Amino acid sequence: MKIKLPPAIIFLLTGLLMYLLATFLPVGYFDFFGRRLLMKVLASLGVVIAFIAIFQFLKARTTADPINPSKANKLVTGGLYSFSRNPMYLAMLLILLAWGLALGNAFNTLLAAGFVSVMNRFQIKREEVALLEKFGKDYAQYCIKVRRWF
């Protein structure tokens, strides 16, 4: 089974579900000293990682199209991609965690974990198959050296 939704749509739907959960679930509210600061740090880190990751693809003159990963003409393995094979998805996760902190409902962490699960199962594994077919041994070695998320 393949989800044909772009990762950005999955990200936005997860954020919407987080909002609905925080609005309509009467339990789970939390607050702690530094929550707002942590929220700002996670959101900022997510935005910076996303911009750098996209810039690296643009600089390499290859596609960042998550729906058609086989269109990639170069394997980007430097910079952020030497720490994470999926920094764009990591950036989305950080922003979702920041959003969950802003909403203040502890159950939103379950939705953020669900985002990771959906991305792993329906998006990342499909991308990995396409990139392995396209780049072969180079991509296989890259997968051994660099973790999927962080």
Side-chain angles (χ1 to χ4, degrees):
M1 181 174 155
K2 293 181 184 177
I3 291 181
K4 302 244 182 196
L5 292 174
I9 299 297
I10 296 169
F11 165 74
L12 292 173
L13 287 173
T14 304
L16 175 63
L17 288 173
M18 291 171 87
Y19 172 77
L20 293 172
L21 184 124
T23 301
F24 296 109
L25 187 67
V27 296
Y29 179 78
F30 71 93
D31 197 7
F32 58 88
F33 177 77
R35 178 172 67 103
R36 295 255 180 237
L37 176 63
L38 181 58
M39 173 194 73
K40 291 175 184 176
V41 168
L42 289 175
S44 299
L45 190 58
V47 169
V48 168
I49 288 172
F51 278 117
I52 291 172
I54 291 167
F55 175 76
Q56 284 188 253
F57 268 62
L58 293 172
K59 186 178 175 187
R61 296 182 188 262
T62 191
T63 185
D65 180 2
I67 301 301
N68 298 303
S70 60
K71 289 184 178 178
N73 58 6
K74 289 185 185 170
L75 185 60
V76 179
T77 60
L80 288 179
Y81 291 90
S82 63
F83 301 102
S84 170
R85 294 196 314 257
N86 298 287
M88 289 183 222
Y89 302 147
L90 176 60
M92 289 179 191
L93 174 62
L94 292 172
I95 293 168
L96 286 173
L97 291 173
W99 178 234
L101 285 171
L103 295 170
N105 190 303
F107 292 103
N108 278 325
T109 56
L110 297 174
L111 290 174
F115 171 79
V116 171
S117 179
V118 167
M119 294 305 293
N120 277 336
R121 184 169 179 199
F122 298 108
Q123 182 65 37
I124 294 173
K125 286 187 179 182
R126 187 174 59 83
E127 288 179 9
E128 289 175 342
V129 168
L131 293 172
L132 188 58
E133 287 175 7
K134 180 90 176 188
F135 299 107
K137 189 172 104 177
D138 290 338
Y139 185 71
Q141 289 176 344
Y142 174 63
C143 288
I144 291 169
K145 291 179 188 175
V146 180
R147 292 176 154 289
R148 185 178 278 167
W149 285 85
F150 53 86

